[in-house]
């Protein structure tokens, strides 16, 4: 019964926060993130990250990225693949390099400084997706590039993390050969997964959707689309990728069928009524102010670097492949959010002793701050482009 009370409180609070955020010209997601901070351990302590909240939030981000895939144009994704690759690579190299230097200045050893950089190389595009959807820019060239770059970024971050943990962690040092063979197997499985995506696009999804249409049960087409979504997310997690990569490609696959509109109109209410608000709140729940003041000398420069390196790095990657300055500005801002991806990497690093307890809470605070600031940056970048177009 306690879970029902938590769900009721979160849904009511996020609905009100989203409403008032939009009334004052802010993206609704800002209000929802703040709800997590206020209701969570940072302020009131009424809601904590437990299995119930975690499960709902995981489903929420998977549905959000599934809908992003549904709204994506496969032709545009192919067209902007090269800019997406450039954005993703620059968006990893620049943060890793600069944050590594900062880590060394704070007496991190070589391995820990590299890991700190990798933590802030990750992108959580789910926050940007919400802002782009709200401003009707998800299917623009900038939105498409952000989506493509985020998927590539996700894959590269997972591979780099796997290599780092296998090389530097205590586990690797005690059994290097075994871990290295596991790493090679993991990468092989991930390559196989992407080969499987083609099969899913070409044959599996159209077949399953036609079977769903012929089934004599309510909402069978929607049910089958969710089977594809959750199944691809599960398999992605199974081979060491993020579930959002699988759900995004599931959405793109379903979008190639004639059932796209029906699925889109039915899945969106399911996501936004229950699961997606819980996801945004769960990001805020990680925020605490324990040791905040004493860590400010570390938190402030790391926050500045985390924001600027992703914004400038990804923007430069877009500009290098022919985008204009305003598009590069939007793409850079759209890649700033770290969110759940960086939180997962930080937790993995902490467990592998690549991130010390002394700086762990500071890193988590910076991840949350970038996640809250990113929607403001993205909206302002879009406003600057609109203003330039008018004038």
């Amino acid at each position: 019964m306690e879970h029902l009370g938590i769900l009721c409180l979160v849904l009511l609070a996020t609905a009100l926060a989203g409403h008032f955020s939009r009334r004052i010209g802010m993206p609704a997601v800002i209000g929802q993130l703040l709800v997590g901070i206020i209701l969570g351990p940072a302020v009131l302590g009424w809601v904590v990250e437990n299995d119930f909240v975690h499960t709902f939030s995981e489903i929420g981000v998977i549905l959000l990225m599934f809908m992003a895939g549904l709204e994506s144009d496969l032709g545009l994704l192919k067209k902007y693949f090269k800019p997406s690759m450039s954005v993703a690579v620059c968006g990893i190299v620049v943060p890793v390099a600069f944050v590594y230097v900062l880590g060394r200045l704070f007496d991190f050893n070589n391995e820990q400084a590299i890991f700190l950089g990798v933590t802030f190389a990750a992108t959580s595009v789910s926050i940007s997706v919400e802002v782009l959807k709200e401003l009707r820019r998800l299917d623009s060239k900038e939105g498409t590039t952000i989506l493509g770059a985020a998927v590539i970024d996700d894959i590269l971050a997972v591979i780099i993390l796997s290599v780092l943990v296998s090389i530097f962690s205590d586990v690797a040092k005690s059994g290097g050969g075994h871990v290295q063979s596991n790493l090679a197997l993991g990468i092989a499985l991930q390559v196989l997964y992407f080969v499987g995506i083609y099969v899913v696009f070409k044959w599996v999804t159209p077949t399953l959707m036609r079977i769903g249409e012929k089934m004599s049960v309510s909402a069978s087409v929607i049910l089958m689309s969710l089977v594809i979504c959750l199944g691809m997310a599960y398999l992605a997690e199974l081979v060491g990728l993020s579930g959002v990569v699988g759900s995004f490609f599931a959405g793109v696959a379903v979008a190639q069928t004639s059932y796209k509109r029906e699925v889109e109109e039915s899945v969106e209410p399911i996501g936004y009524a229950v699961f997606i608000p819980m996801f945004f709140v769960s990001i805020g729940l990680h925020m605490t102010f324990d040791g905040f003041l004493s860590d400010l000398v570390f938190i402030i420069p790391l926050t500045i670097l985390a924001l600027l390196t992703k914004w400038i790095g990804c923007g430069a990657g877009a500009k290098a492949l022919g985008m204009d300055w305003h598009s590069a500005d939007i793409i850079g801002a759209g890649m700033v959010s770290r969110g759940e991806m960086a939180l997962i990497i930080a937790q993995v690093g902490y467990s592998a002793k690549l991130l010390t307890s002394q700086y762990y809470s500071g890193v988590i605070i910076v991840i949350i701050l970038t996640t809250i600031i990113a929607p403001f940056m993205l909206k302002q970048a879009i406003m600057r482009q609109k203003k330039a177009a008018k004038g």
Side-chain angles (χ1 to χ4, degrees), residues 94-104 113 116-118 120 302 305-306 309:
V94 176
V96 168
F98 281 88
V99 176
Y100 168 82
V101 172
L102 180 71
R104 296 295 282 171
L116 185 67
V118 171
F120 289 95
L302 184 56
L305 272 185
T309 54

Side-chain angles (χ1 to χ4, degrees), residues 18-19 28 49 80 85 93 125 137 141 145-146 153 175 208 232 234 386:
H19 169 75
E49 176 84 0
Y80 292 108
M85 179 62 80
V93 172
V125 77
R137 297 298 297 273
K141 67 178 180 181
T145 304
I146 289 169
D153 187 303
L208 288 178
M232 287 188 69
Y234 171 73
K386 286 183 177 178

Side-chain angles (χ1 to χ4, degrees), residues 6-18 28-29 31-36 39 47 53 56-61 63-64 67 127 130 268-285:
I6 290 171
L7 185 58
C8 180
L9 176 63
V10 166
L11 295 182
L12 177 61
T14 51
L16 292 172
V29 67
Q32 295 172 338
L33 288 167
L34 291 175
V35 165
L39 294 181
V47 181
V53 173
F56 268 57
S57 66
E58 286 283 292
I59 296 172
V61 70
L63 290 179
L64 182 63
M67 288 186 286
I127 307 293
E130 182 62 17
E268 190 162 312
I270 297 171
Y272 282 101
V274 182
F275 298 104
I276 293 172
M278 192 67 86
F279 163 65
F280 291 132
V281 167
S282 74
I283 296 288
L285 293 180

Side-chain angles (χ1 to χ4, degrees), residues 63 66 70 205 208-209 212 219-231 250-251 254 259 262-264 266-267:
L63 290 179
F66 178 63
L70 278 172
T205 297
L208 288 178
M209 295 304 289
S220 55
V221 168
I222 313 307
L223 186 152
M224 197 59 76
S225 72
L226 289 175
V227 167
I228 296 166
C229 166
L230 298 175
V254 173
Y259 309 98
E262 182 184 353
V263 172
E264 199 171 17
S266 300
V267 172

Side-chain angles (χ1 to χ4, degrees), residues 99-131:
V99 176
Y100 168 82
V101 172
L102 180 71
R104 296 295 282 171
L105 291 174
F106 278 89
D107 295 325
F108 282 56
N109 65 33
N110 192 53
E111 293 89 346
Q112 291 169 342
I114 293 172
F115 177 78
L116 185 67
V118 171
T119 303
F120 289 95
T123 294
S124 172
V125 77
S126 48
I127 307 293
S128 298
V129 162
E130 182 62 17
V131 176

Side-chain angles (χ1 to χ4, degrees), residues 255 383 385:
M383 293 302 109
Q385 187 188 54

Side-chain angles (χ1 to χ4, degrees), residues 161-227:
L161 177 64
S162 301
V163 171
L164 275 180
V165 172
S166 70
I167 293 173
F168 296 136
S169 73
D170 291 345
V171 176
K173 287 171 184 174
S174 63
H178 177 64
V179 174
Q180 293 296 338
S181 64
N182 283 347
L183 175 63
L185 177 62
I187 292 173
L189 286 172
Q190 289 166 15
V191 170
L192 189 62
Y193 180 83
F194 284 103
V195 172
I197 284 175
Y198 176 77
V199 177
V200 170
F201 269 62
K202 194 77 175 174
W203 295 290
V204 176
T205 297
T207 302
L208 288 178
M209 295 304 289
R210 285 195 295 271
I211 291 170
E213 186 180 35
K214 293 174 182 176
M215 291 173 71
S216 302
V217 291
S218 299
S220 55
V221 168
I222 313 307
L223 186 152
M224 197 59 76
S225 72
L226 289 175
V227 167

Side-chain angles (χ1 to χ4, degrees), residues 16-34:
L16 292 172
H19 169 75
F20 288 115
S21 292
R22 285 183 173 176
R23 289 294 295 270
I24 61 175
M26 293 194 307
V29 67
I30 291 292
Q32 295 172 338
L33 288 167
L34 291 175

